[in-house]
């Protein structure tokens, strides 16, 4: 069943007698409907046996975006309208959570929950073969979606060569992971990375200053200990890494988390490079949890 249809069915069950349902009050509070409008909607709803939102749309009082915004508040499903939050428009989980691409991401989230996170694991590396394959985009959107599910989620930008997450989420980039790994920030200061105001279940640990020795920092013997300290406060930790081609960073980070989700770009990523990365994972004691094919 389409999740949006499921939401509408629940909404329909909220109507009590002649009273408008909760979604009607939310639309009025948002200034989308007047009290007179709501009465017209309820009348049409009864006459044609429509759900409240469908009736309001049929009367031309609201559009689908207005309805989805109200439903998101009704079911405590945080997202933003275009232009809010000053995040990157690439965060479709933030701005277009009910579109086709978001549905595909939700299906991927479900697979990850069943195959990895429900088995006692908390951390997962998101890696691409080449820069521009879409690994950072995928990691950011998945992090938002896990937080929308109610999971305490931490997104770590471990791309210490070309960090991107601070740009996507419009955050300052210091202090970040590089300062933590270099010992310039105390672990106690990062145990609880502040959650984003619009998404109370989501925290983002940015990469920090780009260091001259990213491979050495990520390979440091204390790195697993610091990741374990962070994991105590979260249900899901997704780690964005630099491109696997040209550096061992992604394989090193994946070895720390135990598994990697590999992002491939259609007509761009060489299969030989993907196979080589998988071999590196196996030799490091990690597994390839799956692959995602980006089509752009």
């Amino acid at each position: 069943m389409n999740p949006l249809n499921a939401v509408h069915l629940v909404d329909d069950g909220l109507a009590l007698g002649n009273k408008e349902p909760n979604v009607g009050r939310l639309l009025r509070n948002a200034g989308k409907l007047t009290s007179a409008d709501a009465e017209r909607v309820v009348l049409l709803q009864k006459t044609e046996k429509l759900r409240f939102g469908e009736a309001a749309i049929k009367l031309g009082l609201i559009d689908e975006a207005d309805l989805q915004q109200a439903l998101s508040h009704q079911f405590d499903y945080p997202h933003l309208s275009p232009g809010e939050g000053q995040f990157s428009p690439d965060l479709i989980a933030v701005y277009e959570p009910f579109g086709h691409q978001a549905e595909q991401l939700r299906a991927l989230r479900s697979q990850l929950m069943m195959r990895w996170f429900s088995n006692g694991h908390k951390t997962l590396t998101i890696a691409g073969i080449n820069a521009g394959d879409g690994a950072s985009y995928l990691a950011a959107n998945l992090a938002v979606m896990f937080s929308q599910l109610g999971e305490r989620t931490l997104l770590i930008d471990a791309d210490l060569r070309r960090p991107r997450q601070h740009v996507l989420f419009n955050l300052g980039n210091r202090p970040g992971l590089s300062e933590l790994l270099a010992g310039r920030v105390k672990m106690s200061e990062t145990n609880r990375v502040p959650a984003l105001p619009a998404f109370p279940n989501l925290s983002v640990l940015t990469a920090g200053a780009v260091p001259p020795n990213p491979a050495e920092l990520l390979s440091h013997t204390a790195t697993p200990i610091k990741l374990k300290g962070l994991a105590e406060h979260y249900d899901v930790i997704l780690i964005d890494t630099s491109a696997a081609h040209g550096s061992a960073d992604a394989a090193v980070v994946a070895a720390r988390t135990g598994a990697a989700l590999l992002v491939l770009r259609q007509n761009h990523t060489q299969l030989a490079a993907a196979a080589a990365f998988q071999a590196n994972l196996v030799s490091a004691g990690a597994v390839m949890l799956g692959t995602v094919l980006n089509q752009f």
Side-chain angles (χ1 to χ4, degrees):
M1 179 182 290
N2 185 306
L4 296 187
N5 290 336
V7 168
H8 284 302
L9 288 172
V10 175
D11 163 45
D12 192 35
L14 290 174
L16 300 174
N18 294 324
K19 297 180 180 179
E20 62 182 306
N22 288 342
V23 70
R25 288 194 291 274
L26 288 167
L27 287 166
R28 285 196 295 109
N29 291 340
K32 302 297 182 180
L33 296 177
T34 65
S35 296
D37 291 334
E39 291 179 4
R40 291 175 58 202
V41 174
V42 170
L43 180 60
L44 181 63
Q45 182 185 10
K46 287 183 175 182
T47 303
E48 300 192 14
K49 298 186 181 342
L50 298 173
R51 304 179 185 102
F52 186 91
E54 291 174 337
I57 290 175
K58 187 170 184 177
L59 288 170
L61 299 172
I62 63 170
D63 57 24
E64 184 66 26
D66 294 329
L67 177 58
Q68 297 304 338
Q69 183 76 17
L71 290 172
S72 72
H73 288 294
Q74 182 180 357
F75 294 98
D76 195 24
Y77 191 84
H79 75 280
L80 299 176
S81 298
E84 285 187 289
Q86 298 183 325
F87 297 149
S88 167
D90 288 339
L91 296 179
I92 60 170
V94 171
Y95 293 116
E96 302 175 53
F98 308 111
H100 176 64
Q101 286 181 295
E103 287 300 318
Q104 292 181 314
L105 286 170
R106 263 190 285 275
L108 175 59
R109 180 189 65 187
S110 296
Q111 288 294 317
L112 293 175
M113 286 295 292
M114 290 187 293
R115 297 177 54 190
W116 187 248
F117 294 109
S118 64
N119 295 325
H121 303 291
K122 284 193 173 184
T123 55
L124 176 66
T125 298
I126 311 292
I129 297 298
N130 303 295
D133 282 351
S136 296
Y137 161 89
L138 181 66
N141 279 287
L142 279 177
V144 173
M145 287 198 158
F146 274 111
S147 75
Q148 289 169 329
L149 194 62
E151 300 291 319
R152 296 172 301 165
T153 305
L154 174 63
L155 173 62
I156 299 177
D157 193 344
D159 185 347
L160 302 186
R161 299 174 188 270
R162 298 177 59 184
R164 180 106 175 99
Q165 297 301 337
H166 67 289
V167 176
L168 292 174
F169 287 94
N170 192 30
L171 297 170
N173 194 27
R174 300 183 188 182
L177 180 65
S178 62
E179 285 82 8
L180 172 63
L181 297 179
R184 294 170 57 190
V185 176
K186 294 180 180 179
M187 188 66 197
S188 59
E189 296 178 22
T190 56
N191 273 347
R192 289 191 177 276
V193 183
L196 301 182
F199 297 89
N201 289 315
L202 177 61
S203 299
V204 179
L205 178 59
T206 60
V210 175
N213 58 336
E216 287 74 19
L217 280 179
L218 294 170
S219 301
H220 197 279
T221 54
T223 301
I225 299 173
K226 292 177 178 179
L227 288 179
K228 184 178 180 181
L230 288 169
E232 293 176 358
H233 303 283
Y234 299 95
D235 302 310
V236 171
I237 297 179
L238 300 179
I239 304 182
D240 181 23
T241 67
S242 57
H245 181 69
S247 80
D249 297 2
V252 168
V253 174
R256 305 298 197 201
T257 63
L261 181 67
L262 182 61
V263 182
L264 309 178
R265 183 175 173 186
Q266 188 175 27
N267 300 324
H268 187 265
T269 305
Q270 295 184 345
L271 293 181
F277 178 68
Q278 183 173 11
N280 288 338
L281 287 184
V282 173
S283 65
V287 299
M288 178 97 79
L289 196 61
T291 59
V292 175
L293 182 64
N294 260 336
Q295 298 176 327
F296 64 91

